[in-house]
Amino acid sequence: MLELVGLKAEIDGKPILKGVDLVIRPGEVHAVMGPNASGKSTLSKVITGHPDYVVTGGDVRLDGVSLLEMAPEERARAGVFLSFQHPVEIPGVATSVFLKAAVNAVRKARGQDELDAAAFLRLAREKMKLVEMDKELLHRSLNEGFSGGEKKRNEILQMALLEPRVAILDEPDSGLDVDALRIVASGVEALRTPERAILVITHYQRLLDHLKPDFTHVFLDGRIVRSGGPELALEVETRGYQWVRDAEATA
Ligand code: ADP
Ligand code: MG
């Protein structure tokens, strides 16, 4: 369903993605692991249509249809969701107002009725249980002063509310203590459905103890250089990335 074909992208004339090939079928969870600055966040932003990045080759397709000509909000309406590595803070916009607008935009695109304030709050409170998120946060400005764990829970709450077809999670584990990590991972695990494709970017195997990927990919210098099952994540954890770099250099 989500297909990356020889995807190349650059920023300020600097090539970052150097030909990424990846197919994620409905129901699958794929993990992408890779060192800092290898281009993992760039990959997630290019898929969702961040305007700073220029696609210089290849394609991103959802059910065979290219996303590249679509604006970010059209991609969102088509069911593509990104949970940010660094969620933005928006002072003055209540979390509940932001989430309700996002949910209703997606519902409208799907031909469903918009939720009124009461119906939205009922739904939000129900979904918040999934990530053990404090209800008070709904009434505060979006992400403003949220702890790292609260921001990540909020991202997963958003995913639960939007019910995306393709969810891309950029380091949902960064900055989390072990308990928050378990809660966030099991929240994502609960959102795994036979229809949904999930791409999770992570540095650490630990997240993958709770969220079992079907496939693991090692990302290095703008490309996927190794693909395997969950065991590949363990290998990276014990051997680091240098081993893959060395193997690439001699290949
Ligand atoms: P990762 O998520 O794997 O750590 P990123 O995709 O964030 O890597 O970054 C890949 C490379 O692209 C880095 O060298 C980074 O400095 C560069 N880069 C990413 N975004 C920008 C930007 N907005 N402006 C300039 N360089 C960028
Ligand atoms: Mg990143």
Side-chain angles (χ1 to χ4, degrees), residues 29-31 169 172 184-190 192 198-200 205-214:
V29 175
H30 288 236
L169 308 169
V184 163
S186 60
V188 177
E189 184 67 48
R192 196 169 179 162
I198 300 179
L199 176 64
V200 51
Q205 151 64 24
R206 196 152 58 181
L207 177 80
L208 307 176
D209 285 340
H210 301 287
L211 176 63
K212 287 267 174 283
D214 300 295

Side-chain angles (χ1 to χ4, degrees), residues 11 14 16 35-42 53:
I11 187 151
K14 178 181 160 196
I16 309 288
N36 279 324
S38 56
K40 305 182 299 301
S41 292
T42 299
Y53 301 86

Side-chain angles (χ1 to χ4, degrees), residues 93-110:
V93 175
T95 302
S96 60
V97 170
F98 172 83
L99 290 175
K100 180 166 166 279
V103 167
N104 279 336
V106 164
R107 287 182 69 90
K108 220 171 144 184
R110 290 179 188 154

Side-chain angles (χ1 to χ4, degrees), residues 40-41 85 170-171:
K40 305 182 299 301
S41 292
Q85 178 174 1
D170 191 0
E171 298 199 22

Side-chain angles (χ1 to χ4, degrees), residues 126-142:
E126 180 205 315
K127 301 287 186 191
M128 285 173 100
K129 290 181 194 151
L130 197 69
V131 283
E132 301 179 25
M133 189 168 150
D134 184 351
K135 290 189 203 66
E136 278 307 300
L137 294 176
L138 278 183
H139 307 294
R140 282 174 43 190
S141 287
L142 182 68

